[in-house]
Amino acid sequence: MIFRSLKMAGFKSFSETAEIDIESGLTGIVGPNGCGKSNIVEGLRWVMGETSAKQMRGSEMDDVIFAGTEQRPARNLAEISLELDNHKRIAPAEFNDSDHIEITRKIERGKGSSFYVNAKPARARDIQILFAD
């Protein structure tokens, strides 16, 4: 499976929606210190099923939700969607009915996170198995 795009909203330093197209070949992320490069990589890790807040540079999982600034209020929800190209049909059988797979993870402050595959609820374990190979 090939990553095609990453869409983030309310995640760490990304208050508003940001979408990153991942083209064929090598994709690089460049920018000055503090612009969110590491947060993009952590967003990929998080939507792929990361469960450790420490691995996400936080003390609890709610720390991935945009905490606010002097100019912007804090958010109560973070959401990331990762679009995968599955035209070769190499995903596990339960996800193999489409050329594209969209993995979405949402977290609401104080309520935990939930996963979706092509807009249908999924278990965290299902997502981890999808990316295990």
Side-chain angles (χ1 to χ4, degrees):
M1 290 179 293
I2 300 169
F3 291 8
R4 287 294 173 208
S5 69
L6 181 71
K7 188 176 184 180
M8 308 167 74
F11 183 83
K12 292 219 170 196
S13 61
F14 293 91
S15 168
E16 301 300 321
T17 301
E19 188 164 355
I20 301 161
D21 291 327
I22 304 169
E23 301 293 334
S24 297
L26 183 64
T27 299
I29 303 170
V30 296
N33 291 341
C35 72
K37 300 179 299 291
S38 296
N39 292 342
I40 293 170
V41 175
E42 286 182 354
L44 279 169
R45 176 182 235 168
W46 187 71
V47 74
M48 292 170 67
E50 180 60 62
T51 58
S52 169
K54 288 182 182 180
Q55 292 294 325
M56 302 300 297
R57 297 182 295 158
S59 59
E60 59 184 56
M61 201 50 82
D62 280 0
D63 291 342
V64 302
I65 302 171
F66 180 73
T69 65
E70 289 182 14
Q71 294 83 20
R72 295 180 183 264
R75 304 261 318 247
N76 288 321
L77 177 75
E79 178 177 344
I80 296 183
S81 294
L82 176 63
E83 183 183 340
L84 307 170
D85 182 336
N86 187 41
H87 74 275
K88 292 184 180 179
R89 298 288 201 269
I90 58 174
E94 63 267 28
F95 306 121
N96 234 353
D97 59 349
S98 176
D99 284 345
H100 298 278
I101 299 173
E102 184 178 60
I103 309 298
T104 302
R105 185 173 184 181
K106 298 178 184 182
I107 185 168
E108 193 170 348
R109 197 174 303 282
K111 295 186 180 178
S113 65
S114 52
F115 288 91
Y116 302 87
V117 176
N118 294 336
K120 296 176 187 167
R123 300 176 309 162
R125 185 77 182 134
D126 296 332
I127 304 304
Q128 292 165 344
I129 290 171
L130 174 68
F131 291 109
D133 291 334

